[in-house]
Amino acid sequence: MRALHVAALLVLATLGAVAAESRFGRTSYRLAGTDYAVPHRYEFSRNFRLPWLDAIPGLGREPEESLALLLPAAEVAEGLPGYSRFGRGYVGPIEADLVVEVVGDRDRRHFARLHDRQWGHFDARLAEGATWHPDPAGGERLVFSVGADGRGSFYLSPTRETARRADRTPPYCLARGDREGRETYDCSYTIHRDGLTFDFSLRQESVAAADRVPDYVRTRLAGWRR
């Protein structure tokens, strides 16, 4: 019996060590010439993964120098002005964790491909007759797809005159309705800054903080520099 008891304790200790490593261990990354030791609990791939994506060409593969972060909504809201901890979901408020991919991109090659492609789509939508409309929360929408419920896809910009920027792709937004029929939307951003390209999405409550996200993420990375 004593042997079984000892064996059970060893199994529990092993499981505890595995759990501790999973939560408190670190993974080394190199981005734009700098090394980082990122805690496992902030790694998107360790906390949320869809294995079936790996089988789809172009979706499973990531750039060599890349890091996908999952930053808890409470931490981001505390350190990033204008970021809302909660967003409106289909049924009610949900925590708005920040998922951001950071790519080491000192020569801007990765970003340039995305920038040219997305602004090409933007220009094509304009040529096809997309029209500008005021956004209820401020700014302007270039609406190019409207569904049966009146909601659809659009690009978002502070003003029509400042839509095109060299350091980011046009923010692409997808609108939908919640259970009560009110509009909700989220927007995808790609921004290049100081040798890094940042790819992330924000819920409508936090879009005003988009330009501050790269600096916030860089501050977090600085704390993990080796």
Side-chain angles (χ1 to χ4, degrees):
M1 292 295 293
R2 180 175 175 79
L4 289 175
H5 179 67
V6 171
L9 289 177
L10 288 173
V11 170
L12 289 174
T14 301
L15 291 175
V18 170
E21 168 65 17
S22 176
R23 178 166 179 77
F24 301 109
R26 292 173 179 262
T27 302
S28 296
Y29 292 89
R30 187 172 181 81
L31 302 173
T34 302
D35 294 317
Y36 302 95
V38 179
H40 288 342
R41 65 195 184 99
Y42 294 115
E43 291 180 87
F44 178 81
S45 60
R46 286 184 180 270
N47 294 281
F48 185 83
R49 182 169 175 264
L50 298 175
W52 55 268
L53 286 179
D54 295 339
I56 302 178
L59 291 183
R61 183 181 177 86
E62 296 180 347
E64 280 187 27
E65 284 199 15
S66 67
L67 164 62
L69 293 173
L70 175 60
L71 302 173
E75 294 183 17
V76 181
E78 183 177 349
L80 178 59
Y83 192 91
S84 174
R85 177 176 178 179
F86 296 97
R88 191 193 311 159
Y90 180 75
V91 176
I94 59 175
E95 284 206 302
D97 295 336
L98 176 63
V99 176
V100 54
E101 182 184 36
V102 188
V103 177
D105 196 17
R106 285 185 290 187
D107 61 4
R108 294 174 58 98
R109 186 175 303 174
H110 175 74
F111 174 73
R113 288 196 300 268
L114 297 175
H115 184 272
D116 292 347
R117 182 175 65 191
Q118 293 304 321
W119 281 113
H121 291 330
F122 181 93
D123 290 336
R125 298 293 184 263
L126 274 176
E128 291 166 2
T131 55
W132 290 98
H133 299 274
D135 183 79
E140 294 284 333
R141 298 181 179 186
L142 181 67
V143 180
F144 60 87
S145 174
V146 180
D149 60 354
R151 301 178 176 88
S153 305
F154 58 91
Y155 292 111
L156 184 65
S157 177
T159 68
R160 304 179 194 186
E161 291 73 21
T162 60
R164 193 176 301 273
R165 289 180 45 175
D167 67 340
R168 77 179 190 185
T169 62
Y172 169 80
C173 308
L174 181 63
R176 60 190 69 82
D178 66 8
R179 185 170 61 177
E180 299 178 0
R182 297 174 300 178
E183 182 189 69
T184 67
Y185 67 84
D186 50 72
C187 300
S188 299
Y189 295 82
T190 300
I191 299 176
H192 181 84
R193 193 163 296 167
D194 295 328
L196 298 173
T197 293
F198 302 84
D199 198 345
F200 57 93
S201 294
L202 296 176
R203 292 186 176 273
Q204 66 193 76
E205 295 84 1
S206 300
V207 295
D211 280 341
R212 293 188 288 273
V213 169
D215 289 337
Y216 170 77
V217 174
R218 288 170 58 212
T219 299
R220 298 297 300 267
L221 286 172
W224 302 324
R225 186 176 297 159
R226 298 181 65 179

